[in-house]
Every structure is written in structure tokens, then in C-alpha cells.
Amino acid sequence: MSTSGPAEPAPSQRDQPLTLAVLRRLVGNDWARLPGSTLVVLSIDPEGNGYSPFSTYTHARYAPEAEELRGEIYPLESELARDAELRRLYPQIPPNAVAALVLYPLG
């Protein structure tokens, strides 16, 4: 039986959305002892069928499709106000779209 070292994060609860507040707590507390060189890797699906290093992010709005945990992202209201082309591309935003931090894998 293996034991977790002091710099290893506690096991996470699965199958629930992660909010920015929880992410801040994890980074500030649970993961604070991890070396700064620790690579952040994203799974390509919930089953772990592939992985890719975290590459970049954007701040957008997210709307799930039909009570599922998959959906689409949409520009923020402030982005739509500044960009006429975005307004043409996104004439309607679903009413259930919420602010989200969107993370993208490298590959």
C-alpha cells in the first residue's frame, strides 16, 4: 500500500464541476507545496483516454446542452459590446450561459 507524500494533493471528489473558488483553495492550500515546475495536464475525456499539457485559457460564458456536462462557450457581454463581428457570429446567447474560466490543452 502506498502513502501520499506531504506535497501530494488530497484525492479529489469526481463527477462535479470545479468552481474557481475550489481551484483557488486547491492551488493555495492543497497544492501549495508542489514545485513550481509541476506540469499541469488535462484529460481529453472523463475516462482518462488521453492527456495533454495545459496550454492557455480564456474567460467566456458556458452553456450546457440539455442538462449534460458538455456544452458550448460564448463570448462575454463586454466582448460582444466591443466587437461587431462577434455580435454577427453570436446573435443569441443561451439564457443559461454563465461566466466560466475555459482551459485549453496543448494538444
Side-chain angles (χ1 to χ4, degrees), residues 39-45 49-56 104-107:
L39 186 63
V40 177
V41 176
L42 303 173
S43 176
I44 63 168
D45 64 20
N49 289 312
Y51 302 89
S52 180
F54 168 64
S55 173
T56 190
Y104 293 93
L106 189 58

Side-chain angles (χ1 to χ4, degrees), residues 57-65 70-76 79 86 89-90 92-94 97-104:
Y57 69 94
T58 189
H59 190 205
R61 289 187 281 181
Y62 166 77
E65 296 175 355
R70 294 178 189 245
E72 295 295 327
I73 62 167
Y74 299 91
L76 298 171
E79 294 173 309
L86 275 179
L89 289 171
Y90 298 94
Q92 283 192 300
I93 306 296
V98 296
L101 180 62
V102 182
L103 307 178
Y104 293 93

Side-chain angles (χ1 to χ4, degrees), residues 12-36:
S12 64
Q13 293 181 346
R14 298 182 59 97
D15 299 324
Q16 62 185 37
L18 180 74
T19 64
L20 187 54
V22 172
L23 184 60
R24 285 178 178 147
R25 182 187 57 76
L26 290 170
V27 170
N29 298 328
D30 294 6
W31 300 339
R33 292 186 185 159
L34 292 174

